[in-house]
Amino acid sequence: MWKGRFQTDTAQLLKDFSESISFDWRLYRHDIAGSIAHATALEAAGLITKPELEAIRAGLLAIRSEIDAGKFTWKPELEDVHMNIEAELTRRIGDPGAKLHTARSRNDQVALDLRLYLRDEADTICKLLAEVQKSLVALGEAHLEIVIPGYTHLQRAQPVLFAHHLLAYVEMFARDAGRVADARKRLNVLPLGSGAIAGSTINLDRELIARLLDFPALTQNSMDAVSDRDFAVELLSALALVGIHLSRLSEDLILWASAEFKFVTISDAYTTGSSLMPQKKNPDVCELTRGKSGRLVGNLVSLLTTLKGLPMTYNRDMQEDKEPVFDSVDTVKAALQIYAAMLREIEVNPEECFAASADWGLLATDVADYLVLHGVPFRKAHEIVGKTVALCLKRGVGLHELTLADYKALSPAFEADVLEILTLKRSIDARTNSGAPATANVKARLAHWKATLE
Ligand code: ARG
């Protein structure tokens, strides 16, 4: 493609080293869509004829069908997806194919392809996030009566509805979808027309190309447009966070599925056995998802590092953007898909959840709140209940097993009704502030998400 200026062929080692077709071939649909729009603008500018445009369009669509069917042969010596498609088109249709690259560079072409690709993938990922949210909502709804201890420092803290815990992840994934949608907004800008760096002396109707490719805006600086990959960084950042959230959910499930917790059972379809220990049932999906969050973070750091210190504008370093981008997109989609399915088949074990949440310590804060409502300053109430807990531990009994006389001895502010507050149901349903886990709140939030996710 640059044969004019060179005397000898490039070394085979360089060809192997620099080719990207082995991974960027997957941009072919976007590359072809971009080329058809570009050719339409060439025709509108009178640079090619209508029949030439038709030959280009038909040729590209035929190539696309062959690639779709796995019948197209990629040539590594042609470097990348852009050159492979263009060279094959020219081989088939001759001159019109050789005119296609007029007023275009691979620099603006690849920027376009990547934006088109990520725009599609952003939509798919938002849909998959919604599927995981739906599964979480369905699981919560099916077990509305289940109470579990909420944990801080992985120590039992206060009682919560199981559904409230699941809804925490629904909120996280909603913010993730918001971040992906936000990144999509900023990447949804047409870079084509920027040429290699400084546009072109041959002016094409960029507005027309933008309309054809459904871009609401045009990039406004040709140098920025060919050197910008921050749109990809933003998406990788959003995907790294999806990975972190999935990883934390994985960790919860791994703990909950252990014999020590036993709050849930993950279905056989989504667990694996051991080649050695016949009794084992391992939560591999959760562990792999937790593990894969590492590469999502790595891919983000990889691209940031690639871009750091690059002089303006396009540098070949930027070809290194694709593998991390593809890997993060593939990884997140696969993890979301399997999570949406796996969550639908999780069984909850009521006895274990009940046994864990019967821990009287979960209600200690409720007793402090009781004292506050009976006029005791909170810091003092905290100390009194601390002593109450110490007394329970000394006697080996629960808060509900102390007598009224015991309570009175600890503080005159205690009255007979203190014993009435010591139930899980009361503890949960008294937490009625918005965002708190009272059953009515949780029901309302489940209903909200069900309606939103429809
Ligand atoms: N394969 C290249 C990439 O992905 C396309 C752009 C090549 N541009 C160039 N000037 N060599 O970055």
Side-chain angles (χ1 to χ4, degrees), residues 245-261:
H245 291 151
L246 282 172
S247 182
R248 296 186 74 172
L249 174 56
S250 298
E251 179 62 17
D252 280 346
L253 290 172
I254 290 165
L255 285 172
W256 289 351
S258 70
E260 282 67 21
F261 277 80

Side-chain angles (χ1 to χ4, degrees), residues 20 24 80 82 106-107 110 314 316 318-319 322:
S20 56
D24 69 11
D80 56 25
H82 324 293
R106 277 186 296 160
N107 296 354
V110 73
Y314 178 84
R316 194 61 185 277
M318 290 161 73
Q319 181 169 293
K322 278 166 214 69

Side-chain angles (χ1 to χ4, degrees), residues 14 147 184 200 208 249 252 298 337 341-342 358 382 397 426 432:
L14 175 134
V147 177
R184 185 199 191 281
S200 174
L208 167 65
L249 174 56
D252 280 346
Q337 241 156 18
M342 181 180 71
H382 188 287
V397 298
R426 189 265 170 199
T432 54

